[in-house]
Amino acid sequence: MTQTDMTEAGASGAGATGTGAEAEGTEVTGTGAKGTGAKGTEATGTGATGVPDAGVPGAAGDSAGGDPRAGGRRPRVHRAWFVAAVTFVTIIGAAAFRSLPGLLIDPLNEDFGWSRGTIGAAVSVNLALYGLTAPFAAALMDRFGIRRVVAVALTVIALGSGLTVWMTAAWQLMLCWGLLVGLGSGSMALAFAATVTNRWFTERRGLVSGILTAASASGQLVFLPLLSWMITRYDWRPAAVTVALAALAVVPFVWLLLRDHPADVGRKPYGAKEFVPKPAPVPGAARRAVTVLFSALRTGPFWLLAGTFAICGASTNGLVQTHFVPAAHDHHMPVTAAASLLAVIGVFDVVGTIASGWFTDRFEPRRLLAVYYALRGVSLLFLPILLAPTVHPPMVFFIVFYGLDWVATVPPTLALCREHYGEDSAIVFGWVLASHQVGAALVAFLGGVARDAFGSYDVVWYASGALCAAAALMALVIRRRPTAAPLTPATA
């Protein structure tokens, strides 16, 4: 059922015959209806959620006891798209912190004398926690709701980034940028996008997951040039404060506009044929996340998905996002020019990821993953010979080509998690994302160590290209499964 199929409650008036008008999830008795066999009034989602939020747009005519004839026509745009839009803006705001680590390596090295390996270690802690927190955050969203978890996560990101302006020792960088920002960003990871997609959409899931994944790249596009200009013109501290303020600015949007489930506003998920009651809160979030992990560990697709996604993280967040700017600066390219190239990657990542979501709705996700990883590996093998003091056409071609493939792997990976793990797919994807970030963390650290040891990043580029080729082969051997059941009971 699409958004244009929505029934206007009471459209036939009080003289409607039969059992009365029926709105999404609401059966209304129409007092003037003929016949006494009307079913009575059933409040939307009362089996699990109680009455919908009062005053929420789109809820008119759906609340218990409300007269559907007084509510006017329903909006033609389904509420799910508004929730997706708020999620998109939220991820953009949170993406500011992801733009900063690659720009901090040289300034912190010059300001404090810390080695690139030390700074890379703090970044690696951040990236690892970003992934390891995600499955627990997905379970916490099932327990406490999306709004509360995301609002707290944004506040923690702002706190960690803001405190860095007073740090004087490397352990403080580990604490603020590694621990606090890592934990906060992990709760804002792609498991957040997966949870929103799974709850609010039954159709167009591939497209929506692509759009929400692209939000991170859009944030990178917005903030990278600004942050690099601040660091070059002033210092790294104003850039850290900007990240903190950007995270805090999104909190009101999350709290006021985001809703946890379609039943909260008396709506069906987009494309659903029937009303879906909001499930009761699931206690034991940590236990459930661990239980789902151990169940998934007994399945072959999980290991293949986790392995391919670890290589994805190693070749994107860990390598290019963290080390591209200092690597280009090693070849005497200005920092602002290198940061602008990284921002251009974000531009084409938006295009590539949304297109990947569209492809995922229509083509076999395993084959898409194999193509994406193979193309990425080839592009990385050419990068060492393209780095130069100035931006030239072959480098621009690499940026465009690599940008289209940056996180195009996310929609097909999400689709495979849904295919194999059903209702537990958001938590399973959280663990798959954890492997992504562990791979990113290892390369963020090892890349800095390699630069200190060899004086260049060449060996890291070549090794990442070879790993991408291995990931392409792994994707092809993931077996198909037409249906999926939850790994754990809903009350686990």
Side-chain angles (χ1 to χ4, degrees):
M1 180 176 183
T2 63
Q3 67 269 37
T4 58
D5 295 325
M6 295 182 296
T7 305
E8 179 185 358
S12 58
T17 61
T19 58
E22 182 173 318
E24 289 183 5
T26 306
E27 293 178 342
V28 184
T29 308
T31 55
K34 295 180 180 179
T36 59
K39 296 181 181 179
T41 301
E42 180 180 335
T44 302
T46 53
T49 63
V51 297
D53 293 347
V56 177
D62 287 324
S63 59
D67 185 351
R69 292 167 293 178
R73 295 187 61 85
R74 284 187 177 278
R76 294 180 64 84
V77 179
H78 196 284
R79 181 62 182 267
W81 294 108
F82 291 102
V83 173
V86 174
T87 304
F88 185 89
V89 173
T90 302
I91 296 176
I92 285 179
F97 78 93
R98 297 187 62 191
S99 304
L100 198 55
L103 303 178
L104 289 180
I105 292 178
D106 286 336
L108 293 179
N109 175 262
E110 296 170 2
D111 205 355
F112 297 103
W114 300 336
S115 70
R116 288 176 175 82
T118 298
I119 301 168
V123 175
S124 70
V125 171
N126 176 294
L127 293 173
L129 287 176
Y130 176 87
L132 294 172
T133 305
F136 295 97
L140 285 172
M141 289 176 188
D142 288 340
R143 176 66 179 87
F144 297 106
I146 298 174
R147 285 195 300 172
R148 293 178 181 177
V149 174
V150 173
V152 171
L154 287 166
T155 304
V156 171
I157 290 172
L159 180 65
S161 181
L163 288 176
T164 58
V165 300
W166 289 289
M167 66 182 179
T168 57
W171 69 266
Q172 295 167 346
L173 177 66
M174 294 279 189
L175 175 64
C176 295
W177 201 262
L179 179 63
L180 292 179
V181 178
L183 289 174
S185 61
S187 300
M188 287 291 302
L190 292 175
F192 168 42
T195 301
V196 170
T197 302
N198 290 346
R199 289 186 181 183
W200 282 89
F201 293 85
T202 58
E203 293 182 357
R204 309 293 176 83
R205 281 177 168 176
L207 177 62
V208 174
S209 61
I211 292 173
L212 296 183
T213 302
S216 180
S218 300
Q220 178 175 288
L221 165 66
V222 170
F223 290 103
L224 259 178
L226 173 64
L227 296 177
S228 63
W229 175 81
M230 282 184 176
I231 292 172
T232 302
R233 181 68 176 81
Y234 300 103
D235 188 26
W236 61 268
R237 291 174 179 84
V241 173
T242 300
V243 169
L245 294 177
L248 284 178
V250 182
V251 174
F253 291 95
V254 171
W255 194 254
L256 296 176
L257 301 177
L258 196 63
R259 290 295 179 268
D260 293 330
H261 195 278
D264 289 341
V265 290
R267 306 299 297 273
K268 301 174 185 177
Y270 178 83
K273 302 299 182 184
E274 298 178 354
F275 179 78
V276 179
K278 182 178 179 180
V282 180
R287 184 179 72 250
R288 185 182 177 211
V290 174
T291 301
V292 169
L293 171 63
F294 281 109
S295 298
L297 288 172
R298 295 195 292 269
T299 65
F302 176 81
W303 289 100
L304 292 169
L305 289 169
T308 55
F309 225 41
I311 294 173
C312 179
S315 56
T316 53
N317 301 90
L319 183 60
V320 175
Q321 185 167 312
T322 303
H323 294 292
F324 178 80
V325 172
H329 191 55
D330 284 345
H331 289 77
H332 310 293
M333 182 181 291
V335 171
T336 52
S340 297
L341 288 176
L342 203 56
V344 173
I345 288 178
V347 176
F348 288 94
D349 174 40
V350 174
V351 178
T353 307
I354 294 175
S356 177
W358 187 86
F359 290 144
T360 301
D361 287 331
R362 291 161 176 80
F363 300 104
E364 174 58 52
R366 296 155 191 77
R367 295 181 180 178
L368 289 176
L369 283 179
V371 171
Y372 296 156
Y373 284 120
L375 293 176
R376 183 186 300 177
V378 171
S379 66
L380 287 173
L381 293 177
F382 283 96
L383 183 57
I385 64 176
L386 298 178
L387 292 170
T390 59
V391 179
H392 50 89
M395 173 58 79
V396 174
F397 179 79
F398 167 82
I399 293 297
V400 172
F401 187 88
Y402 186 85
L404 290 171
D405 195 16
W406 176 269
V407 287
T409 55
V410 173
T413 302
L414 264 171
L416 290 171
C417 285
R418 282 194 295 267
E419 175 183 318
H420 286 276
Y421 304 108
E423 294 178 6
D424 291 319
S425 60
I427 297 177
V428 172
F429 180 73
W431 286 113
V432 171
L433 179 63
S435 71
H436 180 283
Q437 295 307 117
V438 169
L442 286 173
V443 172
F445 171 67
L446 293 176
V449 172
R451 171 59 178 81
D452 291 335
F454 303 110
S456 76
Y457 288 98
D458 289 358
V459 65
V460 186
W461 304 125
Y462 294 134
S464 295
L467 285 174
C468 288
L473 295 175
M474 293 167 64
L476 289 175
V477 300
I478 299 175
R479 62 182 175 85
R480 296 192 62 179
R481 183 179 180 183
T483 58
L487 292 173
T488 59
T491 58

